[in-house]
């Protein structure tokens, strides 16, 4: 049977009180609507149609050609939104899933189970329902003595007996596609908001004698719809915890999952240990047997096996096997550390490659440079790479020694096993095995203090 998905993503989301359209707010680093579409893609429907309105261009820029688009120029309700997909879906045989773009926690397995129950029951509509300990505010699923769905009743219209029902409507549905569009044309807007509501299709189907069923989801937390910043925070907490649990089950040690923030596309190898307050973002890949210390932030970076990161910030960086970084170090874009490299406290590396065994222990800046193997970069060393207009590159060969407080004024080339004396400012090439000293000779002024007015007798 053909399957179709309609994603409702047209609303402004006024309760978010934000310039950013609601479905574009991120949950664990990915926009809510992206989460929804990603899960829909996993069930491989024939077509995904996203209904856009407010922020249409930005939603299309995000999703690009992963989906087709229907424009809802005026936001006149969920029923009206689905009706905008008629040019693409009306008249087709099959099942259509209608899902809101602000439900980022729904998983593909839940959607697949909803499809399967709908198709097996031969219902014209199947409601995705959930049991809530406190169902206040939700529409209730009212069933008859045989368990068949009688109706959905909203909180404000429910009797005391109906208010006690804990099975709620999540707002996600499967429909027989042809029946859906037949009934959408009959939905009216005789209500306080003057809008066309999708749930009215359920009542119309029942009035026509058609079967309506409900599928109870296993984890009611998945049903969370994000309408304000409070719900957004809950969604983030749930998604981060879900991601942490998945990594722990794959052999990663996470000391405090409730205070660890791992985004969806992060990959982590077994036997890696992650301390609290770590943020792993974007397309980060971490190898096995690594250690990621508290307060580290790693974005779009690649770490090989046996790497240790201590309270440091990495962005678009690569770290080779057995290297360690931090504490309080920063690797900026295009920083690449080979194997067994040591980057210590308050060292910054940007657009530079650092060879095997090289060490920069503390308080150094290495930018726009290529460093070979087994080089010592002393405390306070600076690669002076910017002349105010252009960036310049320096090359340091294997075994070189860069003394403390040295300035490498790029572009220069420092040969193999060369020495740069502490406090030197180097603006010319240094031959292999040479020592470069570029500093003023020390002069001592004997009894100078007695020349100062305050010390004169």
């Amino acid at each position: 049977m053909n399957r179709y998905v309609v994603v409702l993503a047209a609303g402004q989301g006024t309760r978010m009180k934000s310039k950013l359209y609601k479905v574009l707010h991120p949950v664990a680093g990915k926009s809510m609507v992206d989460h929804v579409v990603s899960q829909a893609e996993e069930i491989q429907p024939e077509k995904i149609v996203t209904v856009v309105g407010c922020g249409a261009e930005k939603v299309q820029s995000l999703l690009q050609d992963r989906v087709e688009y229907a424009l809802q120029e005026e936001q006149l309700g969920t029923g009206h939104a689905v009706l905008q997909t008629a040019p693409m879906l009306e008249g087709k045989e099959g099942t259509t899933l209608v899902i809101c773009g602000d439900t980022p926690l729904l998983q593909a397995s839940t959607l697949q189970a909803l499809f399967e129950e709908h198709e097996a029951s031969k219902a014209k509509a199947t409601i995705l329902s959930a049991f809530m300990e406190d169902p206040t505010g939700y529409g209730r699923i009212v069933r008859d003595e045989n368990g068949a769905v009688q109706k959905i009743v909203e909180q404000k219209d429910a009797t005391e007996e109906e208010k006690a029902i804990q099975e709620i409507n999540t707002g996600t549905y499967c429909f027989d596609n042809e029946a859906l569009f037949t009934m959408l044309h009959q939905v009216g807007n005789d209500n306080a908001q003057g809008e066309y509501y999708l749930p009215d299709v359920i009542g119309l189907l029942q009035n026509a004698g058609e079967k309506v069923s409900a599928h109870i989801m296993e984890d009611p937390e998945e049903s969370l719809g994000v309408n304000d910043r409070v719900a957004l925070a809950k969604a983030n907490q749930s998604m981060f915890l879900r991601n942490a649990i998945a990594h722990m089950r794959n052999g990663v040690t996470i000391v405090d999952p409730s205070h660890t923030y791992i985004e969806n596309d992060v990959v982590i190898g077994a036997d890696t240990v992650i301390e609290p307050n770590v943020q792993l973002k974007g397309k980060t890949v971490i190898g096995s047997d690594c250690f990621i210390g508290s307060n580290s932030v790693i974005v779009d970076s690649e770490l090989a096996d046996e790497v240790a990161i201590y309270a440091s910030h990495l962005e678009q960086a690569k770290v080779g096997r057995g290297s360690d970084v931090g504490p309080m170090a920063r690797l900026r874009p295009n920083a690449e550390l080979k194997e067994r490299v040591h980057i210590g406290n308050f060292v910054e590396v940007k657009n530079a490659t650092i060879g095997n065994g090289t060490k920069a222990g503390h308080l150094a800046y290495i930018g726009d440079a290529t460093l070979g193997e087994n080089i010592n970069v002393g405390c306070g060393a600076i690669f002076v790479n910017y002349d105010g207009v252009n960036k310049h590159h320096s090359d340091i060969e294997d075994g070189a020694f860069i003394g403390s407080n040295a300035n490498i004024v790029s572009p220069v080339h420092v040969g193999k096993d060369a020495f740069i004396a502490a406090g030197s400012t180097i603006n010319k090439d240094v031959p292999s095995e040479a020592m470069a000293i570029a500093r003023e000779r020390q002069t001592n002024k004997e009894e100078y203090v007695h020349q100062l007015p305050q010390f004169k007798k």
Side-chain angles (χ1 to χ4, degrees), residues 58-130:
K58 292 186 177 180
V59 174
Q60 289 173 295
S61 176
L62 171 70
L63 299 177
Q64 298 186 354
D65 60 358
R66 293 165 59 190
V67 302
E68 296 180 30
Y69 298 94
L71 178 63
Q72 186 186 26
E73 293 183 6
E74 266 191 288
Q75 278 67 66
L76 299 178
T78 51
H80 179 261
V82 177
L83 196 56
Q84 307 314 299
T85 69
M88 287 157 275
L89 296 177
E90 189 168 17
K92 293 182 181 294
E93 292 184 1
T95 301
T96 295
L97 168 72
V98 180
I99 185 170
C100 294
D102 62 1
T103 52
L105 299 180
L106 279 170
Q107 299 189 80
S109 57
T110 300
L111 303 180
Q112 177 69 20
L114 175 61
F115 265 115
E116 289 175 356
E117 179 153 331
H118 172 78
E119 291 164 358
S121 69
K122 300 189 184 307
K124 292 298 182 182
T126 302
I127 306 158
L128 181 63
S129 68

Side-chain angles (χ1 to χ4, degrees), residues 85-301:
T85 69
M88 287 157 275
L89 296 177
E90 189 168 17
K92 293 182 181 294
E93 292 184 1
T95 301
T96 295
L97 168 72
V98 180
I99 185 170
C100 294
D102 62 1
T103 52
L105 299 180
L106 279 170
Q107 299 189 80
S109 57
T110 300
L111 303 180
Q112 177 69 20
L114 175 61
F115 265 115
E116 289 175 356
E117 179 153 331
H118 172 78
E119 291 164 358
S121 69
K122 300 189 184 307
K124 292 298 182 182
T126 302
I127 306 158
L128 181 63
S129 68
F131 272 95
M132 293 283 189
E133 288 188 16
D134 180 8
T136 304
Y138 290 94
R140 309 301 205 281
I141 304 296
V142 180
R143 296 177 182 262
D144 63 20
E145 62 275 8
N146 298 317
V149 174
Q150 283 188 315
K151 61 180 178 178
I152 303 170
V153 60
E154 297 303 323
Q155 170 86 22
K156 64 182 185 302
D157 301 320
T159 65
E160 290 305 312
E161 184 179 1
E162 289 168 341
K163 287 178 182 176
I165 296 171
Q166 291 181 292
E167 186 181 3
I168 61 97
N169 173 24
T170 67
T172 298
Y173 310 89
C174 268
F175 294 97
D176 173 273
N177 187 68
E178 291 173 294
L180 170 62
F181 284 95
T182 297
M183 294 305 172
L184 278 173
H185 289 292
Q186 299 177 34
V187 171
N189 66 340
D190 185 17
N191 53 62
Q193 302 299 320
E195 295 185 350
Y196 301 87
Y197 294 130
L198 182 62
D200 289 353
V201 170
I202 301 295
L204 290 170
L205 287 170
Q206 289 174 318
N207 291 339
E210 301 289 1
K211 181 178 180 181
V212 173
S213 65
H215 171 71
I216 303 168
M217 65 197 309
E218 291 185 8
D219 181 3
E221 187 177 63
E222 288 185 40
S223 67
L224 177 67
V226 176
N227 291 311
D228 58 22
R229 306 285 182 141
V230 176
L232 182 65
K234 290 179 181 177
N236 271 290
Q237 289 173 335
S238 296
M239 188 68 78
F240 282 131
L241 184 58
R242 178 191 293 177
N243 292 344
I245 290 170
H247 286 293
M248 288 189 288
R249 286 178 173 155
N250 285 330
V252 177
T253 295
I254 298 177
V255 176
D256 185 354
S258 64
H259 291 87
T260 302
Y261 311 97
I262 304 173
E263 294 185 355
N264 287 57
D265 295 329
V266 172
V267 177
I268 309 172
D271 292 316
T272 285
V273 176
I274 300 175
E275 290 193 329
N277 296 320
V278 165
Q279 298 180 53
L280 304 178
K281 300 184 174 187
K283 302 289 186 181
T284 291
V285 177
I286 296 173
S288 300
D289 301 296
C290 293
F291 174 83
I292 313 297
S294 291
N295 302 314
S296 293
V297 179
I298 303 177
V299 184
D300 292 325
S301 297

Side-chain angles (χ1 to χ4, degrees), residues 450-457:
H450 299 299
Q451 299 177 33
L452 301 175
Q454 63 268 38
F455 288 102
K456 287 185 178 179
K457 297 180 181 179

Side-chain angles (χ1 to χ4, degrees), residues 428-448:
K428 296 179 182 178
D429 292 350
V430 181
S432 295
E433 301 181 357
M435 173 181 279
I437 304 175
R439 62 191 182 203
E440 189 70 26
R441 288 183 177 276
Q442 180 175 329
T443 301
N444 295 334
K445 302 288 187 179
E446 298 292 339
E447 299 184 350
Y448 174 76

